[in-house]
Amino acid sequence: MTLRKPIIAANWKMNKGPAEASEFVAHFKLEAADLEKVEIVIAAPFIALSSITGKNFAVAAQNCSDKESGAYTGEISVSMLKEVGVEYVLTGHSERRSLYGETDLEVNAKNCQILDHGLKPIFCIGETLAEREAGNLKSVLKTQVTEGLKGICNEGVLNCVVAYEPVWAIGTGVTASPEQAQEAHAMVRGLIAELYTPEIADQIRIQYGGSMKPANADELLGLPDIDGGLVGGAALDPESFLSLVRSAVNSVS
Ligand code: PEP
């Protein structure tokens, strides 16, 4: 089995402009030895991306256009993001799917655009409570994974991080139980093995997202198929985020 480096990503959503982003970065102190064990990512609002400086963090955008350039008022292209040092881009976040109507087709176009420019998608998937209760967990995940990764080759998929985020757990304070999280993560890994190869599935990092916080991080990050977290609320405060990073370090120590 491959030892996958945990990846902890903060999703600040529509919080923190340049001043607050700089303050957070200045306050966040980590040992060099820890940084070797865990990858830390901050997904900031577009105008705060340039404030996420320093060697501790990889910078992520929360969205991008699926087009190269041109008459798309208000959009930001992947090459513009690359120019300001962005390495990752979130795609398929449930808030973008539910509030802005993003489809699997658009998510796929964004994933392809990001990879074409040498950046890496943090590709979010996850079921609603109604879908889970109707027994549709696997079929929902299968559709999202299959459609979202359409046309992406073996080499490309190895540059993707998948974030399993049950929609009912995002921003609600409700967390998936360790059994529910592990089951879904193993399912996603299995789907990737079917679409690609078992070796590729073994290498891909799958983050958990949905009310991860210092109180539940050790347990979630200790599960065999969970390779990090995508964190909203608990990543707004540097001390709380630092505690999550430490849990990720402990999960591989
Ligand atoms: C998210 O927005 O991706 C998320 C997981 O949020 P929260 O941690 O607040 O549930």
Side-chain angles (χ1 to χ4, degrees), residues 9-13 90 93-95 124 163-167 169-174 208-213 229-236 244:
N11 176 14
W12 284 348
K13 312 193 187 195
L90 305 189
H93 191 281
S94 77
E95 286 153 18
C124 306
Y164 167 66
E165 300 205 296
V167 178
I170 298 179
T172 59
V174 178
Y208 169 81
S211 301
M212 183 180 270
K213 45 188 174 266
L230 179 56
V231 188
L236 290 171
L244 300 178

Side-chain angles (χ1 to χ4, degrees), residues 180-192 206 225:
Q180 288 171 322
Q182 171 55 30
E183 182 196 25
H185 279 238
M187 218 175 247
V188 174
R189 207 175 294 287
L191 290 167
I192 293 169
I206 308 175
D225 282 297

